Amino acid sequence: MAYHSRRLGIPATIVMPVTTPFVKVKAHEAYGAKVVLDGETLSECRTAPPPLRATMGSSWLNPYDDPAHHRRTGHRRARMFEEVGDLDMLVVPIGGGGLIAGNAIAARGVRPAVEIVGVEAALYPSMRNAITGSNDPIGGPTLAEGIAVKNVGALAPAGGARARVRHHPGRRGPSRARG
């Protein structure tokens, strides 16, 4: 978002959890974005934008439910397929679903038979819950703050409902959604 905002000359304020790694914050700031650290998790960050909108007259873009964001992430993946060409599997981290949605659309557009594997943090089985209707507990400390999401977007589970979900039984471990 910061990269494209700078490229288009649009000011960007990006809200991130207070636990966001310093290097990620600095990378966004290097592209000219103002970074606001608010909340412990991405879910808590979603409550910060209304006051920001009121003071800045800006729009809230949810990367999980923004088709334009899905296209941007997918465009990058399509270029990867053009460069590599013979990939038969794409492993993508799952948070709210925006990244995997864009990647799946682009990958299947270039190579329809590619297998898409989504991986989520063990403490945050949000997408698995959304796809399967499960209600596994969500939350806890993790270094994977970018995918530590309690609520997924509405668009990705709709497309992911066709996915097969495999959960490692007997432990609260990683689940993989395959499609």
Side-chain angles (χ1 to χ4, degrees):
M1 196 66 66
Y3 169 79
H4 288 291
S5 293
R6 182 172 91 178
R7 190 173 64 81
L8 297 171
I10 301 169
T13 300
I14 300 176
V15 183
M16 299 179 180
V18 295
T19 56
T20 301
F22 177 76
V23 68
K24 186 173 183 177
V25 171
K26 288 300 169 196
H28 283 76
E29 290 175 339
Y31 282 117
K34 176 183 176 187
V35 176
V36 175
L37 300 176
D38 187 75
E40 293 293 320
T41 65
L42 288 173
S43 295
E44 290 177 13
C45 288
R46 295 176 88 171
T47 62
L52 289 173
R53 277 196 307 259
T55 60
M56 299 176 63
S58 59
S59 299
W60 166 246
L61 299 177
N62 181 343
Y64 313 148
D65 285 330
D66 181 6
H69 175 75
H70 296 181
R71 283 191 300 276
R72 286 188 298 273
T73 60
H75 174 71
R76 288 190 294 264
R77 211 52 63 219
R79 287 193 322 208
M80 181 184 72
F81 270 89
E82 290 169 4
E83 291 175 17
V84 178
D86 62 349
L87 293 177
D88 57 356
M89 179 185 289
L90 188 60
V91 179
V92 183
I94 301 175
L99 183 64
I100 195 166
N103 280 257
I105 291 166
R108 293 265 168 80
V110 175
R111 189 175 174 111
V114 70
E115 182 176 13
I116 310 294
V117 178
V119 182
E120 59 188 2
L123 293 173
Y124 290 85
S126 309
M127 186 62 73
R128 181 180 174 277
N129 284 351
I131 291 172
T132 65
S134 300
N135 195 21
D136 290 338
I138 296 172
T142 179
L143 292 175
E145 52 74 38
I147 60 174
V149 175
K150 291 184 179 181
N151 303 304
V152 301
L155 296 179
R162 297 181 304 273
R164 297 184 316 269
V165 177
R166 180 182 307 159
H167 184 67
H168 298 280
R171 65 177 210 189
R172 190 171 170 204
S175 57
R176 298 177 354 151
R178 299 178 140 209

